[in-house]
Amino acid sequence: MSTPLASLDVLEPEAIRRSVDAALDDFLTEKEEAAAAPQLPYLSGLVRDFLSGGKRIRPLLCVTGWRAAGGSGDDAGSVFRIAACLEMFHAFALIHDDVMDLSDTRRGRPTLHRTLAAHHAACRGPDEVEWFGMSAAVLLGDLALTWSDELLHSAGLAPVQRDTVLPLVSQMRTELMLGQYLDLHATGGLTDDVDATLNVYRYKTAKYTIERPLHVGAAVAGAGPEAMAACTAYALPLGEAFQLRDDLLGVYGDPAVTGKSRLDDLRAGKNTTLTALALRGADAGQTALLRRLLGDPLLDEEGAAVVRGLFETTGARETVERMIDDRQRQALHALDHAPFGADAVGALKRIARMATARNS
Amino acid sequence: MSTPLASLDVLEPEAIRRSVDAALDDFLTEKEEAAAAPQLPYLSGLVRDFLSGGKRIRPLLCVTGWRAAGGSGDDAGSVFRIAACLEMFHAFALIHDDVMDLSDTRRGRPTLHRTLAAHHAACRGPDEVEWFGMSAAVLLGDLALTWSDELLHSAGLAPVQRDTVLPLVSQMRTELMLGQYLDLHATGGLTDDVDATLNVYRYKTAKYTIERPLHVGAAVAGAGPEAMAACTAYALPLGEAFQLRDDLLGVYGDPAVTGKSRLDDLRAGKNTTLTALALRGADAGQTALLRRLLGDPLLDEEGAAVVRGLFETTGARETVERMIDDRQRQALHALDHAPFGADAVGALKRIARMATARNS
């Protein structure tokens, strides 16, 4: 049960990562030791493996938000446990997302439903193996969701902290699910409605990945309305920029670095701001070509190269890069007026650059 | 926000049902009124519809456990909200269970993934519609799970109650998921291992449906170890009996009364104590026939009649009926030594009869 707080540089990403990982490890070890059934350690081992690949961006923001709102050493154990709760929740979200997207790889490794299917390939036929993998992955996602909740319950929050933190976490969860639903609903029919894609980003990424983790951390430190509003002013543009960068990486990224296939999004016909802009800027011939290639489950590298070319000739790629810049600037600008200490402002600036200029 | 407590007969099932339904309705109405996104009322409407078909057995046990441990009017609002949390959690479990079982009907109506698919049939191809229904149902289950948690958080428990209730709810959730995993793992290969099937029942039904709801209610009332142990002594045999009855209803029940197809379990090749006993009692020819018919996705009523015949000639059906009687007797016997008031004992006896002699 050790979640040490390096007193010198509480906002150093590696230090935060270590403390959050220690909290996750403690929790899973408790689960494994208390397990009445022998299957539980197998399942928690899968969750442990899955967690090990994460970037810990939400925990980083949570701890930074706590610090920005004046959090100090006394609450450190709680805030790392809450940060671990957000990471466990994210594991749940990704596991189910991969099932819904029928993805084969995540973080450079097979997705969980693929791993589970492979573990059972010996004793079943191919259809059954597929079905088993999907079903077991849904269940493991459910388990991660309930465990994220246990991390929250056992974070040692005082009643006044619970009263602000719990509703924020609930809101974050509902917002993510709503974003997922909007996304799901939009898949299949390609749209040139740029605003609709940005609306999905608002829920799925800006609020979920940036704003709410900051809010949750800030709430642990007892933040007032002004600090909460400053978090929002920074988070929403940054979150959009983060997702726009993600879209570009999904199409142009190096799979060896991102750990993700750069064909999956194109094959799935995923609606992104990039595809919406391309459709808006395309002439009739280009539109027909885009509509034929995007969403083709058999799209190969050659076809993908044609799509990438169209993203460039229609100006869509360049517009997305410009949108990222604009939003990054807005986020940094918001920090100029934020009632945060210099260390937190510095950390948030580093995060803004990392989130928008990253290559993985 | 009204959860009235009829002072005359707090343990009358219809009165409990009305109070729990009022708590669920209040909660969903709050969600709909606070919704920022227009899609939320559509989603919560689906959850509302789904909830409307339930038997409320877990809420009934929760309130009865609370009463058995000496709960009184002061906590009534909390206990109904907690009972509503258990029912919302159960909705989550069923929604995901139907996805995993690929079931078409539940409670006499199309399953949620079927309904969601049908709502989107107009604008998509058949494969895509199927996939959309499954994905959206996974998501709606996730939403129900997080909402069950919100009901728990907002039940108005005092800190001392939270400290006992929350770990029990967490345990209940992990146990159910473990039971589901064991069940999933066993599907596909038919077993004659009767004990293995009873082990699944212990997690999936006895603990989840009977023991934990009683414990959770009793914990709200501040029950001591003796009362908790008495709940367990009653719950575990009753839970097995309940599940054994369920298996018989899945094969012999009247679909017009149960609301479930009586071919689904057979077609899925579901391992039950009934099938394990039949395989154990079968000669070589009967075994071959059972293995050919059980798990055949195209099994028709004629084939099902053959299977039913084999359940009888092998003595499996009769043994299951005897096992139900034995367990019902054990459960009733446990009440003779329980430190519960006469009204609670009376209610628990009624529940034991209802759960084992039911036809739906």
Side-chain angles (χ1 to χ4, degrees):
Chain A
M1 288 292 295
S2 62
T3 45
L5 177 72
S7 58
L8 275 178
D9 192 359
V10 60
L11 295 177
E12 205 273 301
E14 266 313 304
I16 292 177
R17 188 186 170 99
R18 275 194 304 278
S19 297
V20 171
D21 284 2
L24 286 167
D25 187 60
D26 287 347
F27 177 81
L28 289 170
T29 304
E30 279 165 41
K31 283 280 143 206
E32 284 153 17
E33 286 173 359
Q39 290 79 5
L40 202 66
Y42 167 69
L43 299 176
S44 78
L46 289 170
V47 172
R48 197 186 277 277
D49 278 357
F50 188 88
L51 281 165
S52 70
K55 288 195 286 284
R56 307 286 187 267
I57 181 133
R58 289 156 200 84
L60 180 60
L61 284 158
C62 176
V63 176
T64 308
W66 167 75
R67 188 70 180 161
S72 67
D74 300 345
D75 286 331
S78 290
V79 84
F80 286 122
R81 193 105 172 165
I82 302 271
C85 145
L86 298 184
E87 192 66 14
M88 185 69 88
F89 180 79
H90 190 54
F92 140 77
L94 294 180
I95 294 169
H96 279 191
D97 197 44
D98 285 340
V99 169
M100 292 189 259
D101 286 352
L102 309 171
S103 301
D104 292 326
T105 57
R106 157 79 63 188
R107 296 169 176 169
R109 297 182 298 186
T111 48
L112 198 52
H113 61 94
R114 288 264 157 248
T115 303
L116 284 157
H119 285 190
H120 293 83
C123 46
R124 289 150 194 267
D127 277 4
E128 230 179 316
V129 163
E130 176 103 346
W131 166 84
F132 177 85
M134 293 287 187
S135 299
V138 169
L139 254 172
L140 261 171
D142 294 344
L143 201 57
L145 177 52
T146 71
W147 283 353
S148 83
D149 209 52
E150 274 188 72
L151 278 157
L152 181 64
H153 291 162
S154 58
L157 292 177
V160 58
Q161 291 173 311
R162 300 187 77 110
D163 289 349
T164 52
V165 171
L166 266 53
L168 279 168
V169 172
S170 297
Q171 220 165 335
M172 177 199 77
R173 298 194 289 204
T174 300
E175 281 162 1
L176 171 74
M177 289 170 194
L178 196 61
Q180 292 280 62
Y181 181 79
L182 293 175
D183 202 15
L184 197 62
H185 205 266
T187 306
L190 280 174
T191 180
D192 65 355
D193 185 343
V194 176
D195 287 343
T197 64
L198 289 171
N199 190 39
V200 175
Y201 294 0
R202 190 183 165 92
Y203 280 99
K204 256 194 81 166
T205 312
K207 293 177 89 61
Y208 169 60
T209 303
I210 318 282
E211 185 197 31
R212 293 309 183 188
L214 280 172
H215 277 173
V216 167
V220 175
E226 201 198 344
M228 289 301 207
C231 290
T232 300
Y234 164 82
L236 295 186
L238 181 63
E240 285 187 19
F242 181 87
Q243 183 60 51
L244 291 166
R245 173 61 63 209
D246 214 55
D247 292 345
L248 289 177
L249 288 171
V251 175
Y252 293 97
D254 177 355
V257 182
T258 62
K260 273 200 301 204
S261 155
R262 53 183 206 171
L263 293 177
D264 282 0
D265 286 2
L266 299 175
R267 284 178 176 168
K270 200 170 159 184
N271 273 306
T272 63
T273 304
L274 183 67
T275 59
L277 283 165
L279 284 168
R280 185 173 287 184
D283 63 25
Q286 291 169 326
T287 301
L289 197 52
L290 279 169
R291 288 194 178 273
R292 186 159 62 74
L293 296 170
L294 290 171
D296 174 0
L298 301 174
L299 186 81
D300 57 15
E301 267 300 340
E302 206 174 325
V306 174
V307 176
R308 284 187 203 106
L310 288 167
F311 287 159
E312 278 160 49
T313 48
T314 55
R317 184 183 185 177
E318 200 191 319
T319 303
V320 171
E321 287 286 3
R322 202 171 53 239
M323 289 171 81
I324 294 173
D325 282 351
D326 285 351
R327 281 160 179 75
Q328 196 215 40
R329 210 168 308 127
Q330 280 176 51
L332 293 174
H333 182 69
L335 291 177
D336 296 341
H337 310 282
F340 303 153
D343 64 339
V345 168
L348 290 168
K349 282 185 177 168
R350 283 196 299 277
I351 292 170
R353 286 193 204 96
M354 186 185 84
T356 51
R358 69 206 161 94
N359 61 2
S360 74
Chain B
M1 289 291 296
S2 63
T3 45
L5 177 72
S7 58
L8 277 177
D9 192 357
V10 60
L11 296 176
E12 204 273 301
E14 266 313 304
I16 293 177
R17 187 187 172 98
R18 272 194 304 277
S19 297
V20 171
D21 285 1
L24 286 167
D25 187 59
D26 286 347
F27 177 81
L28 290 170
T29 302
E30 279 164 41
K31 284 278 143 206
E32 285 153 16
E33 285 173 358
Q39 290 79 5
L40 203 67
Y42 167 69
L43 298 176
S44 78
L46 290 170
V47 172
R48 198 186 276 275
D49 276 358
F50 189 87
L51 281 164
S52 70
K55 286 196 284 285
R56 307 285 187 268
I57 180 136
R58 290 157 199 85
L60 179 61
L61 283 157
C62 176
V63 176
T64 309
W66 168 75
R67 188 68 180 163
S72 68
D74 300 344
D75 286 330
S78 291
V79 86
F80 287 123
R81 193 104 170 166
I82 302 271
C85 145
L86 298 183
E87 191 66 15
M88 185 69 87
F89 179 80
H90 190 54
F92 140 77
L94 294 180
I95 293 168
H96 279 192
D97 197 46
D98 285 339
V99 169
M100 293 188 258
D101 287 351
L102 310 171
S103 302
D104 293 325
T105 56
R106 159 78 63 190
R107 297 170 176 168
R109 297 182 297 185
T111 48
L112 199 52
H113 61 93
R114 288 263 156 250
T115 302
L116 283 156
H119 285 190
H120 293 81
C123 45
R124 289 151 193 265
D127 277 4
E128 228 179 318
V129 162
E130 177 105 345
W131 166 84
F132 177 86
M134 292 289 187
S135 298
V138 169
L139 213 62
L140 260 173
D142 294 343
L143 201 58
L145 177 51
T146 70
W147 284 352
S148 84
D149 211 51
E150 274 188 70
L151 277 158
L152 181 64
H153 292 163
S154 58
L157 292 177
V160 59
Q161 290 173 311
R162 300 187 77 110
D163 289 349
T164 52
V165 170
L166 266 53
L168 280 169
V169 172
S170 297
Q171 220 165 333
M172 176 198 79
R173 297 193 290 203
T174 301
E175 282 162 1
L176 171 73
M177 288 170 195
L178 195 61
Q180 292 279 63
Y181 180 79
L182 293 173
D183 202 16
L184 198 61
H185 204 267
T187 306
L190 280 174
T191 181
D192 64 355
D193 185 343
V194 175
D195 287 343
T197 63
L198 288 171
N199 190 40
V200 174
Y201 294 0
R202 191 182 165 93
Y203 281 98
K204 255 193 80 165
T205 311
K207 293 178 90 59
Y208 169 61
T209 304
I210 318 281
E211 185 197 31
R212 294 308 183 189
L214 279 172
H215 278 172
V216 167
V220 174
E226 202 198 345
M228 288 301 207
C231 290
T232 300
Y234 164 83
L236 295 186
L238 181 62
E240 285 186 20
F242 181 86
Q243 183 60 52
L244 292 166
R245 174 61 63 209
D246 214 53
D247 292 344
L248 289 177
L249 287 171
V251 176
Y252 295 98
D254 177 355
V257 182
T258 64
K260 274 200 297 205
S261 155
R262 53 184 207 173
L263 293 176
D264 282 358
D265 286 1
L266 300 175
R267 285 178 175 167
K270 199 170 161 186
N271 272 307
T272 63
T273 305
L274 183 67
T275 60
L277 283 165
L279 285 167
R280 184 173 286 183
D283 62 27
Q286 291 170 326
T287 300
L289 198 53
L290 278 169
R291 289 194 178 275
R292 186 160 62 73
L293 295 171
L294 290 170
D296 173 1
L298 300 175
L299 186 81
D300 56 14
E301 267 299 340
E302 208 174 323
V306 174
V307 176
R308 283 186 204 107
L310 288 166
F311 287 159
E312 277 161 51
T313 49
T314 55
R317 182 184 186 179
E318 200 190 321
T319 304
V320 172
E321 287 285 4
R322 202 171 51 239
M323 290 170 81
I324 294 172
D325 281 352
D326 285 351
R327 282 161 178 75
Q328 195 214 42
R329 213 169 305 127
Q330 281 175 51
L332 293 173
H333 182 68
L335 291 177
D336 295 342
H337 311 281
F340 302 152
D343 63 340
V345 169
L348 290 168
K349 283 185 176 167
R350 283 196 300 276
I351 291 171
R353 287 195 203 95
M354 186 185 82
T356 51
R358 69 206 160 96
N359 61 3
S360 74

